[in-house]
Amino acid sequence: MNLVGAINNALHIALDTDPTAILLGEDVGFGGVFRAAVDLQEKFGKSRVFNTPLCEQGIAGFAVGLASEGSTAIAEIQFADYIFPAFDQIVNEAAKYRFRSGGQFDCGKLTIRTPYGAVGHGGLYHSQSPEAYFTHTPGLRVIVPRSPYQAKGLLLSSIRCPDPVIFFEPKALYRASKELVPVSDYEISLFNADVVMEGSDITVIGYGAQLGVLEKACKKAREELNISTEIIDLRSLLPWDKETVCKSVMKTGRCVISHEAPLTSGFGAELAASIQKECFLSLEAPIERVCGYDTPFPLSHEKFYVPDYLKCFAAIRRCIQF
Amino acid sequence: GWSSLSMSRFAPLLRTSWRLARSCGRASRSFASSPDIAVHPNIGRFSSELDLQFISRFDEPFLTFRVMDENGNILDPSLEPDVSKEKCQRMYKTMVELNVTDSILYQAQRQGRLSFYMTNYGEEATHIGSAAALEDEDVVFGQYREAGVLLWRGYSMQEMCDQCVGNRDDSNKGRMMPVHYGSKRHNFHTISSPLATQLPQAAGAAYAMKLQGRQACVVCYFGDGAASEGDFHGALNFASTLDCPVIFFCRNNGYAISTPIREQYRGDGIAVRGVSYNIRTARCDGNDVWAVHKIMDEARKIAISQKVPVLIEAMTYRGGNHSTSDDASRYRGNDEVSSWKLSNNPLARMRMFMEKKNWWDDQQETALRESARTAIVQALDQAEKKMLPPVHELFTDVYAQVPASLKEQEETLLEHLKEFGSHYPTVN
């Protein structure tokens, strides 16, 4: 199953197991522009799977309302780049709904799915990774899967979790990433980071599509420099699993963090600051961050812009040789 | 030609064309003959123009529905409100209680006892007239100037004061500014400050209720200023295309803080916009409690039986300052305010109506105002005596369960208070 197939499979299960579940967004009726919603309208009807007018703030607000009166709302924003019109509804409304009412009302049954990240030719508005805008918002959960198996389990957990979730799907992997995925109903915990590979020399941290890049960089480091890397997939960025991350860095003493989003105030900054505080006495080198540059995401220069495996490899080497 | 196309499929377009044509005064021409008809594979057909004209408004303005005049006389016997003496007295009583509550809590803010307050002066009839036409299972989303709806539903003065003070009995656990009421028990979603965000939410809530088979609707209140937000557009369009049983109730009181409607919009108020979304729309005199009551009663019937949205625009006047942080005399004349107070006051109008029926007299008025005053003063005193919510409530309800990261932060605060607690307000 590829990643978009796994998402589709999760949505079928979510709507099948929860009669209150509703899927809405732009063009989801015919199956979605990435085909994540294929066959859902035919199976569950137009009242549960439907197109909305083209208005992201409307989608988010409408979905908050659905969730606030007891429906499970799964909203799609067509590209993460277009989530900003919904920023107010997500940050001021969805995230604060429970807190501000003293727990009387909530929209925990809300999940917003959105494709994010570099895709080779997406330019400014089909490539962004806006996760850090949302990780600065108490009340939200921010989830990013790295593979089809992860995507299905994490999406089912997100839909059923009693907090509003922003679920970023790495669109570059929609078709590129394939693996065996159980057709059964299963969930993956939203609380735990995943130690993808154990190692002893350096901890490498990432999430989403960047995990594949990091695995390639670590392979090169292992083959050429005999470096044993421990790779951690955060999976949940908010709240994030500090315990797993810090335990690893205390063991290895070195750390490289990588994400596609720009460096300044990216989620890597939060990780680095926390690791520095918790692991100060264990650190043997400065924490390295390999990220997008502090520019808009370019079209022609995408290959130069992205934190590719060579940039990650170079950072691992710098960190080891420090 | 016409006959070759299905009339029913294009009926909405025909209506629109007819209305535009009528407004241009050229009805016969627009329907001239088949060569005038353009066809689009998806949009359908539309009648052609032979004379290019840009139009900005319909010839006929939106009329304002009224039931009684400024002296409390019913304008047409057929409009006599179908309301018992008891219900009428209860409606008036709630309007007066709201009015008295406002004056006491406004003064309390002036004395520094509350951090903030917003009065409802002049708009009491929009609250009570509309709320009295609803059932308890109808769900309300408000803006912030709809406290009368809660009072009508049985939210107590004590609950209001507890919320305004932010004490441990506040149902919001002291987290929100004053007047940001909310009560699950009364089906009234908690108020939030960002304007118009509740509009698309109300549409979504109504859709959920429709799917759940609930025989109830959502009522969503907002002001004329909030209607300029993008969420207004999203909400009305979503409610229309997704057939949501929601009543959008606009309180057009002439001002958004200092901004008069002339600087807010140039169209025919908010109502005309409803028609452009194909939403059933009506406008009423918001200072006429019976007009508001009737319009809401009809709107509720439409929303629930047809599962479609309705837009109501209630024309009223913001009698007080925008809030306790505002001095309205800096941007509007006192003449304007006093003319409204003296000649078109919703409370006075209803009282005159009741007096003509011998349902009310001066003695009852005095007794009511005194008891309301005593009740609100006592409630405020009580609220001020109560403790703040416990400090750990700072960390709860951010998520359904307190995450480890937040527990850690709570522990740092508790540790900090061990040493520096004497510098902070007393809590337990």
Side-chain angles (χ1 to χ4, degrees), chain A residues 19-22 24 46-71 85 88-89 92-106 137-142 162-164 191 238-240 242 278, chain B residues 139 141 171-173 175-176 180 182-185 187-209 211-212 214 218 229-235 237-239 241-242 244 393-401 403 405 408:
Chain A
T20 76
I22 287 167
L24 68 156
K46 277 191 170 177
S47 64
R48 292 181 62 197
V49 179
F50 53 82
N51 289 339
T52 66
L54 203 167
C55 177
E56 285 75 16
Q57 66 193 96
I59 293 170
F62 194 87
V64 168
L66 285 171
S68 75
E69 281 298 327
S71 287
D88 183 42
Q89 282 287 351
N92 274 331
E93 296 293 317
K96 297 169 175 59
Y97 219 94
R98 186 193 305 271
F99 183 77
R100 74 185 185 204
S101 70
Q104 294 184 91
F105 294 95
D106 69 79
T137 305
L140 296 179
R141 286 181 180 275
V142 177
D163 300 310
F191 294 93
L238 185 71
W240 63 281
K242 194 154 78 174
E278 300 294 327
Chain B
V139 171
F141 286 71
S171 45
N172 299 339
K173 302 187 183 173
R175 290 166 181 158
M176 295 282 274
H180 289 57
S183 175
K184 183 84 178 169
R185 197 158 44 91
N187 269 329
F188 191 104
H189 280 251
T190 302
I191 299 291
S192 74
S193 309
L195 287 180
T197 49
Q198 77 277 19
L199 274 79
Q201 294 169 9
Y207 190 91
M209 289 161 63
L211 249 57
Q212 291 159 17
R214 285 151 72 177
V218 172
E229 292 280 4
D231 273 335
F232 169 89
H233 161 67
N237 200 26
F238 274 57
T241 57
L242 295 166
C244 304
E393 296 285 15
L394 168 55
F395 301 95
T396 59
D397 301 321
V398 180
Y399 296 93
Q401 291 187 330
S405 55
E408 201 179 292

Side-chain angles (χ1 to χ4, degrees), chain A residues 252-275:
Chain A
T252 62
R254 290 180 166 83
C255 177
V256 169
I257 301 161
S258 182
H259 54 64
E260 277 178 28
L263 174 78
T264 300
S265 298
F267 193 66
E270 175 58 38
L271 292 170
S274 296
I275 292 166

Side-chain angles (χ1 to χ4, degrees), chain A residues 84-285:
Chain A
F84 299 111
F87 200 67
D88 183 42
Q89 282 287 351
I90 295 170
V91 171
N92 274 331
E93 296 293 317
K96 297 169 175 59
Y97 219 94
R98 186 193 305 271
F99 183 77
R100 74 185 185 204
S101 70
Q104 294 184 91
F105 294 95
D106 69 79
C107 61
K109 296 180 88 177
L110 166 69
T111 302
I112 297 178
R113 302 173 34 242
T114 187
Y116 88 96
V119 70
H121 51 270
L124 276 72
Y125 305 111
H126 299 82
S127 308
Q128 290 180 62
S129 300
E131 66 275 6
Y133 291 101
F134 298 98
T135 56
H136 197 56
T137 305
L140 296 179
R141 286 181 180 275
V142 177
I143 307 293
V144 194
R146 72 169 187 275
S147 72
Y149 175 80
Q150 300 285 324
K152 180 178 168 182
L154 289 169
L155 181 56
L156 282 168
S157 298
S158 297
I159 290 167
R160 292 159 179 174
C161 142
D163 300 310
V165 177
I166 314 288
F167 192 85
F168 288 104
E169 299 169 2
K171 63 178 171 292
L173 304 185
Y174 268 155
R175 284 169 216 296
S177 176
K178 283 183 190 154
E179 66 185 356
L180 285 173
V181 177
V183 289
S184 61
D185 187 345
Y186 67 94
E187 297 181 22
I188 295 176
S189 164
L190 302 182
F191 294 93
N192 304 322
D194 185 26
V195 181
V196 178
M197 190 170 75
E198 291 197 17
S200 54
D201 296 335
I202 186 165
T203 302
V204 175
I205 309 168
Y207 46 86
Q210 197 60 13
L211 253 292
V213 175
L214 288 171
E215 279 173 323
K216 206 170 160 189
C218 291
K219 185 164 175 270
K220 187 175 168 70
R222 187 166 62 248
E223 288 171 358
E224 295 181 12
L225 306 171
N226 196 29
I227 293 166
S228 164
T229 49
E230 179 145 305
I231 305 176
I232 296 180
D233 175 10
L234 274 183
R235 299 196 295 204
S236 172
L237 275 59
L238 185 71
W240 63 281
D241 180 0
K242 194 154 78 174
E243 198 184 331
T244 299
V245 168
C246 291
K247 211 169 111 188
S248 172
V249 177
M250 278 192 257
K251 179 177 76 178
T252 62
R254 290 180 166 83
C255 177
V256 169
I257 301 161
S258 182
H259 54 64
E260 277 178 28
L263 174 78
T264 300
S265 298
F267 193 66
E270 175 58 38
L271 292 170
S274 296
I275 292 166
Q276 186 268 150
K277 170 92 161 65
E278 300 294 327
C279 313
F280 188 70
L281 294 176
S282 309
L283 284 171
E284 293 174 41

Side-chain angles (χ1 to χ4, degrees), chain B residues 338-356:
Chain B
S338 55
S339 102
W340 156 78
K341 265 188 191 159
L342 297 171
S343 66
N344 188 12
N345 183 316
L347 287 152
R349 280 170 77 176
M350 189 173 191
R351 185 176 165 186
M352 286 186 270
F353 166 85
M354 291 165 75
E355 281 173 350
K356 286 178 217 297

